[in-house]
Every structure is written in C-alpha cells, then in structure tokens.
Amino acid sequence: MPTSPFMSLNGRVVPYDQCNIHAFSGVVKYGAGVFEGLRAYWNAEREELFVFRLHEHLERLRFGMKVLRFDTVFEADFMAKSLLDMIRANNLRENVHLRMIAFLDGDDELSSTGPVGLVCGAVPRPASKAVQDGVHIAIGTYGRLSDNVLPPRVKSTANYVNNRAAELEAKRNGYNGVLMLTGQGKVSEGSGACFFMVRNGALHTPDVASDILESITRDTVIRLARAMGMEVHERTIDRHEVYAADEAFWCGSGYEVQPVLSLDRLAIGSGAPGAITRALQKDYFATVEGRTNEHPDWLTPVWAKG
Ligand code: PMP
C-alpha cells in the first residue's frame, strides 16, 4: 500500500482500508470521474509543508466537474479542507504526491449526474531519478484524443485510457515515455506531462488548442521563463521540428521538470540535459520548495497556525 494510512472520503478522514465506494458506482461503470495530482514540498528550514498551487488545482477540478455535468460542484474551501485534514491526519512532513478524485457515485444509468463524491489521499514521493538523468521518449501509434471526442483540458478519469495505451506501448518498446500527436499530426503532450523545446534560446510549447491538458506546471514554467527574460512561444509544433531542437523537457506536477534527451532514438541537441533546462529546473525547485519569495500566493502552508 503506497498511500498514507489516512484518506479523506466525502469530507471525513477515514483509514485507508475503509475508503470504499460501491463497485457499481458511476465512476467505475462509465469512467465518470475527474481528478487532480498535486505535490506538497517539505521546507526543512521553514519547518513547513507547502502545497503547490492548490487554488489552481481546485479550480481545474471544479471546471472538470462542471463539464462532466455533475449535479454538485464542490466549493474550493470544502475540497481544500478535505485535503489538508487528510495531510494533517497523516502527520506528513516530507515531499508527497497528493491525489484527489471527484467521482460519480450511486448505482444508476449512463446519464445520471449524482450523487457526487470526493476522495483524497497522499503518497510520499521524493523527486524521480529522471529529473537528474533525463528521459528517452518516442512518438507512438496512439494519437492524442481530440476536443470533439473527449475534453483534453479536463483531467477526467476516462481520458487516461488514451494516455495509458500510449504509455504502455512506449514502455513495451523500451522507451521511458511517449509524446502524443494530435489528430492533425502536430505535437500534443506526454501521457502525464506537457512538452517544451528550446530553439535559438527561446522556449516553444504546443498551444492550448493542441489537445493538451491546461497544465499548471506548464503555466509555472512559462511564467518563470519569462521572468528570466526568455521568449516563450505557444504554438503548433511539428514532430520533425523537435528533432531540430537544441534542448527539450517535459513537465507536470508529478513529473516536475524532466530533461528529454532523445525522441525516436534521435538525440535532441547534445543528447544531454541542456543549460536552459537546468536553469529552469533550478528555479522551479526553488519556487515549489518555498526557497524564494517571488510567489507566496502559490504556496499553501499545511502546518501554519491560524
Ligand atoms: N498532461 C497530462 C496528460 C497530464 O496528466 C498532466 C499531469 N496532470 C499534465 C499534462 C501536467 O499537468 P499539471 O502540470 O497540471 O500537473
């Protein structure tokens, strides 16, 4: 059991093995769920655990509940309290990955819209080795789902059948991960991360109409890069343009910022993590760990009194 001993179910802290829903609930039958993956970082010097961009994650979750036409869209305050109560019940003082799912409960037919439940849990997790070492990825045979099929900008459970198939294929073929293309053959995103490349000192990333999740880490990286004086372009990107990039990386709350060293076994740039990627990583970790004073609004302290 990788998950911490206490979870939250519908606003109540419960032991892990009592966090149950019915096997015929709407989320199980129809994939009618929407979820978030967030991280909280322990800052030893400040003796504080900071949840990164909690507000933005909760607003994306609420947007997903609206688009799935759930008859209840939980207030952000209720969801924040559920999450923080769970973290405190586990007495967490280390880096953790946090998971929240708003789900269709009950046992009804396809077009039911409630009742709606909320579950939160935590998994202690240090940074992955890929942050230092980088990853080798491939374009697979599965295209990214498109906006008129399922909404890519909603982090819905059902969407991840697409991501999972693409990731499994890449791993079967010996890669660390997959870069998906849109139905039009343009670069979209990874199975759990948004993609960036560096060309001539500027950052380029697929725009929000490239069937991507509107990633919070992507937004963070764009803001940090612009604050460092870099140009950032959000636009359509061709597969073969990635082969011409000087550097590349992908990012997400779970992935953090991972250098992409090759695509389809063609080295990107020198084939080693690039200087701009390293500079952005440095800034990213200083920000999420609360070692800068630039973005206090992005950090929710778990243990602060009052
Ligand atoms: N794309 C996909 C498909 C993802 O699952 C994720 C992870 N949530 C991301 C991008 C990155 O999003 P975020 O930065 O908001 O975690």
Side-chain angles (χ1 to χ4, degrees), residues 7-8 33-38 51 53-55 57-59 61 65 74-84 86-87 97-103 117-122 155 157:
M7 297 185 67
S8 166
V34 57
F35 69 106
E36 281 299 325
L38 315 77
V51 182
R53 300 195 73 173
L54 175 60
H55 173 75
H57 281 280
L58 295 180
E59 284 310 317
L61 193 53
M65 297 172 79
F74 296 125
E75 295 297 332
D77 283 353
F78 166 72
M79 295 196 286
K81 183 171 184 318
S82 301
L83 185 75
L84 295 174
M86 179 277 296
I87 298 173
H97 191 241
L98 303 164
R99 289 141 187 207
M100 309 179 78
I101 311 171
F103 58 94
L118 180 73
V119 61
C120 312
K155 203 168 160 60
T157 311

Side-chain angles (χ1 to χ4, degrees), residues 35-38 57 60 144 152 155 160 163 180 189-194 212-219 251-255 284:
F35 69 106
E36 281 299 325
L38 315 77
H57 281 280
R60 187 169 67 188
R144 175 68 174 146
K155 203 168 160 60
Y160 283 77
N163 307 37
M180 292 185 280
E189 62 178 350
S191 52
C194 279
I212 64 167
L213 181 72
E214 291 188 12
S215 149
I216 291 157
T217 316
R218 174 183 179 278
D219 178 74
C251 68
S253 305
Y255 283 54
Y284 183 77

